[in-house]
Structures are given as C-alpha cells and as structure tokens.
Amino acid sequence: MPLEEYKRKRNFSKTPEPEGSVASRKGRELFFCVQKHLASHLHYDFRLEHNGVLLSWAVPKGPSLDPKTKRLAMQTEDHPFDYGEFEGVIPEGYGAGIVMLWDRGTWTPEVADVDAALKKGDLKFTLDGYKLKGSWVLVRTGGRYAGARGGSDQRSWLLIKHKDDWSGDLDITEFAPLSVKSEGDFEDILAADNPAIWQTNRPAKGGDAGTMLGTIIERAAKLKAERASAGAAAPKAARGSRKTKATPAKKTGVKKKTG
Ligand code: MN
C-alpha cells in the first residue's frame, strides 16, 4: 500500500505535516524538491515525484555541484506529493525539528523506464530547480554501509552531479542556504511558529546539530520578541536585508565548462 510507512511513522494529530495521498497528475511535469531538515542531525531530503508520490533520499551533506564529490543518499519512505511544498516546525515525534523548502522545480528522467532504473540502482535525470540544475545520477551502492543483516543495504545510494553547464566547485549549500518558499532561514521559520516549543526536550541535544539548534532557538525568540514589540508596524520590514536571498544557480557564476 502506498505511503503506508509514511503514515505509520507519524501521528497527524501532533504534526503539521500533510497526511496526503497518492496524487493524480497525469500530463504534468514531474516535481522535485529538496527540504533542508534540522532534526537530530542536519540533512537534506531529496525528493523526486514518481507515480503520484515523492521518492525520498536523506542526504546528510546535501547535494554537491562538483562531479567528483559523491554524496551519500539514504533512501527513506515515499512521501505524499503534498509534502513537496511543506515548510515548518515539527514539534515532536518522528522528524521533530525544522523543515525548510531549500529548492524546488521539475525533473526529467534521462531513462525510458524509471522503475527499471530504480530496480537496477542507476537513475539518471535532469533537474530544473532554482539552485540545482542539469544532469545528475543516483547510484545504489552495495555493502559499504551494510547493516547487521550482513547483506548490502538496499537503501544506500550516492547522489552525483554530472559534468555539464551547471556543475562547478561552488558550494551551493553554503552559497544559497535559505528557503525558496519564504526566503528565510531556520530561525525565521521557527519565529513564525513557537520558538519556545523545545524548552524541555530538544530534538537535537548534542554535537553540531544541537549547537545549531540552540543558536536558532535563541535567534528565533529574539526575532519573535522584536516583531511583537514592533506591533503591526510592517513586521516584514525588519527582515529586509538581514541575509541575502536564495539565488538561482544561474546567477551564481557557475562557469560554463568546455571540453
Ligand atoms: Mn528528513
């Protein structure tokens, strides 16, 4: 049954995530998105629409535009199509943390049969997003991340950029860290919700993610207080030039490669 695992993992009375269903989108371009997710660890959820759901991979380090940099991508449960526009705060339970819509757009398979490519573990495709463009491949790896079962972990893939006009050594996650939906950072998303939500039980307690979350909670609380004291007087103006906006990849100086 489609989306069974997605639904089993979540309590929809406690999460703002969409319950969703299999979408019927015949004749439309295929959607893709990347959601930057600060949970127990920071990662990027890479999602490709296929058969009315979003095939999903968690990429700990995020996508790289450098063809030499292969990024681990752990396949996770299919998500409902409606999840693709989700951005917000998951207060508790599975995936508790902050979700930012980091990139979105359309994708085109470079293979005739997507199911066969997935089965084979070699899916080539083209992305047309704000930040990610051009040709990419997802390749399933064998054995390297094998679990206790001994065999190869079927969930383990690599996300790799092919060399083209859109490849280069620009660090896209550093260069364009913000939301393509709200144009804000994690603290803006949290400030719009409830910065005090994890006072007692934070989703990330230690390490880099814990430190990051601590800073974000502080900044979000400050932002919220500033907005409250500014009252109804143009609350959005205060956000103005605090950070640069997310910029499409084509404006980032990624050089066209020849040869
Ligand atoms: Mn995630």
Side-chain angles (χ1 to χ4, degrees):
M1 200 181 143
L3 301 174
E4 190 176 7
E5 189 180 354
Y6 176 85
K7 290 180 181 179
R8 180 165 49 75
K9 284 178 168 171
R10 289 167 176 81
N11 178 345
F12 293 102
S13 66
K14 294 188 173 171
T15 179
E17 297 166 292
E19 190 157 357
S21 54
V22 179
S24 173
R25 292 175 28 87
K26 294 241 178 326
R28 305 226 194 167
E29 283 190 287
L30 296 168
F31 175 87
F32 95 93
C33 72
V34 182
Q35 278 149 328
K36 188 173 167 183
H37 186 184
L38 179 61
S40 56
H41 295 89
L42 178 69
H43 60 275
Y44 294 74
D45 289 302
F46 182 78
R47 311 192 198 278
L48 298 175
E49 178 194 351
H50 179 58
N51 290 343
V53 299
L54 301 175
L55 305 175
S56 298
W57 288 264
V59 185
K61 291 185 176 174
S64 170
L65 303 185
D66 178 2
K68 293 190 296 293
T69 305
K70 300 167 183 177
R71 289 282 157 88
L72 174 66
M74 295 301 288
Q75 190 164 15
T76 57
E77 76 276 15
D78 296 347
H79 278 49
F81 177 77
D82 288 349
Y83 203 95
E85 293 286 329
F86 176 73
E87 175 170 285
V89 177
I90 303 172
E92 61 179 293
Y94 183 71
I98 310 169
V99 177
M100 173 204 293
L101 187 55
W102 183 79
D103 198 14
R104 70 175 151 200
T106 57
W107 77 284
T108 311
E110 293 177 13
V111 295
D113 185 339
V114 172
D115 287 310
L118 289 167
K119 199 173 170 197
K120 190 180 158 203
D122 185 339
L123 176 63
K124 294 181 176 70
F125 52 92
T126 304
L127 296 179
D128 188 9
Y130 288 97
K131 300 175 186 178
L132 306 182
K133 289 174 182 289
S135 182
W136 297 72
V137 64
L138 273 162
V139 190
R140 193 189 290 119
T141 63
R144 191 173 161 201
Y145 299 97
R149 286 163 293 163
S152 64
D153 189 337
Q154 291 290 299
R155 299 185 310 126
S156 175
W157 298 64
L158 294 170
L159 176 65
I160 309 164
K161 180 79 195 74
H162 284 142
K163 191 173 175 180
D164 61 14
D165 289 358
W166 305 103
S167 61
D169 51 20
L170 178 80
D171 186 336
I172 192 68
T173 58
E174 282 281 318
F175 184 83
L178 304 182
S179 167
V180 292
K181 185 176 185 178
S182 61
E183 298 180 350
D185 208 336
F186 280 133
E187 54 260 40
D188 299 287
I189 296 166
L190 183 56
D193 194 272
N194 175 15
I197 202 151
W198 300 301
Q199 215 80 301
T200 53
N201 188 20
R202 293 185 182 184
K205 294 183 184 73
D208 292 347
T211 306
M212 199 176 164
L213 185 63
T215 309
I216 288 163
I217 291 170
E218 240 172 70
R219 285 185 190 157
K222 203 163 158 251
L223 276 175
K224 190 148 191 163
E226 282 168 12
R227 285 172 197 168
S229 68
K236 278 195 172 173
R239 308 172 56 177
S241 56
R242 199 170 53 79
K243 282 200 173 160
T244 53
K245 286 183 181 180
T247 308
K250 65 179 167 192
K251 289 184 185 168
T252 60
V254 179
K255 296 238 167 61
K256 183 178 168 106
K257 298 252 177 80
T258 51

